[in-house]
Amino acid sequence: SQQGEEDPQALSIQEGENATMNCSYKTSINNLQWYRQNSGRGLVHLILIRSNEREKHSGRLRVTLDTSKKSSSLLITASRAADTASYFCATDGNAGNMLTFGGGTRLMVKP
Amino acid sequence: DAGITQSPRHKVTETGTPVTLRCHQTENHRYMYWYRQDPGHGLRLIHYSYGVKDTDKGEVSDGYSVSRSKTEDFLLTLESATSSQTSVYFCAIANSGFDEQYFGPGTRLTVT
């Protein structure tokens, strides 16, 4: 079963718009991570937020974490066509040594 | 890509044959992981290693075995391939179980 579940499953926006993806998880965590996957490629780590953090920024990315609701969001501002990819959240949960990935959000940014 | 390679990159094999996939890293990371990615299931952990000769099962370990005889290499073996094991397999490495993971380019395996 998947610890993290992304919402929406697919998102289509115009270049320049913001994109927001959400992730919900079930058990307590130490960290939550977001990854990007371009078609046919391996996943690339974007950002890690610890359970005692509420918000984190990296360039055009903003991640929030609400441990009381067991949810996180990834905001990509001023999106570009190159942001077209699938985005996954991953949590360590109670397993410690491993991450559990959600099913991903497929983002399409139209030029 | 952070010094991590997978071989082969593509393989077609017949049902019942053994298959071994190799993951090689040059980063000296302690942790190594094998995932499979299928439409509708996202990324699922097969096995992982937390050191040389130290391995543990993941979510979907049935039908797979692994070995890690040295830090750099993590092998995934399908003892007798089945069509349900047709998938894209990714290897990942990490410094610790809580750190970000770095992924290889993937191996596309087709079992006919």
Side-chain angles (χ1 to χ4, degrees), chain A residues 38-108:
Chain A
N38 291 93
S39 181
R41 306 289 295 273
L43 277 70
V44 174
H45 181 263
L46 295 176
I47 198 163
L48 181 154
I49 186 165
R50 304 190 188 285
S51 59
N52 61 354
E53 297 176 310
R54 292 296 168 258
E55 188 170 313
K56 203 161 183 180
H57 296 255
S58 177
R60 293 183 296 113
L61 306 181
R62 172 180 169 245
V63 169
T64 62
L65 179 64
D66 187 335
T67 53
S68 66
K69 295 181 179 178
K70 292 187 171 56
S71 68
S72 173
S73 67
L74 170 67
L75 168 68
I76 304 174
T77 60
S79 63
R80 306 165 182 168
D83 294 327
T84 293
S86 291
Y87 292 82
F88 296 87
C89 69
T91 54
D92 49 28
N94 292 322
N97 290 329
M98 63 183 83
L99 295 178
T100 303
F101 287 80
T105 292
R106 294 187 310 279
L107 173 65
M108 175 172 287

Side-chain angles (χ1 to χ4, degrees), chain B residues 40-66:
Chain B
H41 289 279
L43 215 63
R44 293 181 292 174
L45 181 65
I46 304 171
H47 282 281
Y48 70 99
S49 170
Y50 48 96
V52 174
K53 298 192 190 310
D54 293 321
T55 65
D56 205 349
K57 296 179 179 180
E59 180 187 355
V60 290
S61 59
D62 287 349
Y64 302 95
S65 62
V66 290

Side-chain angles (χ1 to χ4, degrees), chain A residues 1-2 31 35 37 45 97, chain B residues 31 33 37 59 98 101:
Chain A
S1 62
Q2 292 173 344
N31 305 317
Y35 289 80
Q37 183 180 34
H45 181 263
N97 290 329
Chain B
Y31 283 76
Y33 304 84
Q37 186 174 34
E59 180 187 355
F98 299 104
Q101 295 184 10

Side-chain angles (χ1 to χ4, degrees), chain A residues 40-42, chain B residues 5-11 88-89 104-109:
Chain A
R41 306 289 295 273
Chain B
T5 57
Q6 294 183 230
S7 59
R9 294 292 313 280
H10 301 270
K11 186 169 182 67
V88 180
Y89 291 84
T107 293
R108 184 172 296 276
L109 175 67

Side-chain angles (χ1 to χ4, degrees), chain B residues 52-86:
Chain B
V52 174
K53 298 192 190 310
D54 293 321
T55 65
D56 205 349
K57 296 179 179 180
E59 180 187 355
V60 290
S61 59
D62 287 349
Y64 302 95
S65 62
V66 290
S67 66
R68 191 170 178 199
S69 59
K70 47 186 178 177
T71 301
E72 310 90 271
D73 292 323
F74 193 33
L75 304 180
L76 176 71
T77 298
L78 290 65
E79 303 291 347
S80 177
T82 67
S83 58
S84 64
Q85 294 175 312
T86 292

